[in-house]
Amino acid sequence: ELAVCINSFLAGLPEIERRVFLLRYFDMASLKEIQEKFHFSDSKVKTTLYRTRKKLKTHLEKEGY
């Protein structure tokens, strides 16, 4: 059930946000690797990940997790 909930959350994200999140937390890419891949600054990567984690937390709480 949790996997289905997380997958539905990820499916609803904008593509770049989803790709950054998946690279970091599923492919275990470093922040530096993500910066180079997307040509983002360090702060852009960190901010994107922080905001996505907050959205995920809200989504999981809403679903009862």
Side-chain angles (χ1 to χ4, degrees):
E1 280 186 27
L2 180 58
V4 171
C5 185
I6 292 172
N7 284 335
S8 70
F9 167 76
L10 292 171
L13 289 176
E15 182 182 353
I16 297 296
E17 200 173 322
R18 180 175 56 250
R19 290 175 61 198
V20 167
F21 190 83
L22 289 173
L23 275 172
R24 179 67 174 152
Y25 298 113
F26 289 86
D27 295 340
M28 303 302 177
S30 69
L31 295 176
K32 184 76 171 166
E33 290 170 326
I34 296 169
Q35 290 171 32
E36 291 171 356
K37 182 171 181 77
F38 294 100
H39 306 287
F40 287 168
S41 67
D42 182 55
S43 62
K44 169 100 174 167
V45 173
K46 288 179 181 178
T47 301
T48 300
L49 290 168
Y50 173 75
R51 290 178 179 162
T52 306
R53 285 192 312 268
K54 279 181 60 173
K55 289 178 190 177
L56 175 58
K57 180 182 179 197
T58 301
H59 179 76
L60 290 174
E61 287 173 344
K62 189 172 104 179
E63 297 296 319
Y65 289 99

